[in-house]
Amino acid sequence: MSEREFQGYVTIRQQNDHSMFTLRASLASSKVKAALKTCLNVAVPKRGTYAQTGETLLAWMSPDELLIMVPKDAGGAAFAALEQALDGLHYLLADVSDARARFTIEGGSAREVVAKLAPMDVSAAQFGVGSFARTRFAQVAGAIFVEQEDRLSLICFRSVQDYVFALLCGAAKPGSEVSAQS
């Protein structure tokens, strides 16, 4: 799927510029931490957050799972380096790039658009820059993270990307603002 965009009272953009990997391993292991730091130059994030260096991101999915995002052109080399660094350890590393889709919601009311769809408090006080969470968007599972105060990213299964794009566009439609007067 090529990138697509919708301009409502916020901008919805589908991004295809990163490879995504799932790593299942003991995140408390010093060897796993060292492998990630050596290969990606990013430390393991704390629960409910993500860590980022440049365009490479590690997101905490569960006590033994990370979502790893690297620039698409570095994906193959990063995956191979991780496999080599983790060799001999108990882990599962899978390239999920073709199974996931990423959208950005950008603008002053980005949090409002997400709040219409996800059963979670996305206020800046509860879900600040650097936060990451798994949640639902209407009827589908996904994850959300805050890159900047006015820019959030959403990840979902690629099989529901058209549905999620339509949801986001509907929630961002001009005139649908929560404060809009009829």
Side-chain angles (χ1 to χ4, degrees), residues 20-31:
M20 294 185 219
F21 313 137
T22 293
L23 173 65
R24 301 290 305 246
S26 172
L27 301 181
S29 163
S30 60
K31 291 180 180 178

Side-chain angles (χ1 to χ4, degrees), residues 53-92:
T53 300
E55 293 293 313
T56 300
L57 178 142
L58 301 182
W60 190 94
M61 297 287 280
S62 73
D64 69 344
E65 181 179 0
L66 292 176
L67 173 66
I68 301 169
M69 295 175 57
V70 299
K72 192 168 263 186
D73 59 353
F79 191 88
L82 281 168
E83 279 189 313
Q84 184 175 12
L86 295 167
D87 189 42
L89 302 176
H90 182 71
Y91 76 96
L92 170 74

Side-chain angles (χ1 to χ4, degrees), residues 117-155:
L117 303 173
M120 62 181 285
D121 184 349
V122 293
S123 68
Q126 294 298 314
F127 200 63
V129 174
S131 296
F132 181 92
R134 291 171 125 167
T135 188
R136 299 194 67 75
F137 301 97
Q139 300 298 314
V140 298
I144 188 92
F145 59 99
V146 184
E147 296 182 72
Q148 300 170 6
E149 196 55 47
D150 64 347
R151 180 183 165 117
L152 287 77
S153 280
L154 179 156
I155 296 169

Side-chain angles (χ1 to χ4, degrees), residues 1-64:
M1 170 51 78
S2 62
E3 292 191 13
R4 54 185 162 174
E5 183 175 315
F6 173 79
Q7 185 62 55
Y9 71 94
V10 300
T11 302
I12 309 299
R13 197 173 285 117
Q14 184 166 4
Q15 308 278 147
N16 294 306
D17 55 352
H18 281 78
S19 294
M20 294 185 219
F21 313 137
T22 293
L23 173 65
R24 301 290 305 246
S26 172
L27 301 181
S29 163
S30 60
K31 291 180 180 178
V32 170
K33 288 179 182 180
L36 290 164
K37 188 68 173 166
T38 299
C39 295
L40 303 173
N41 196 31
V42 183
V44 173
K46 294 181 176 151
R47 178 185 175 121
T49 68
Y50 70 91
Q52 185 170 1
T53 300
E55 293 293 313
T56 300
L57 178 142
L58 301 182
W60 190 94
M61 297 287 280
S62 73
D64 69 344

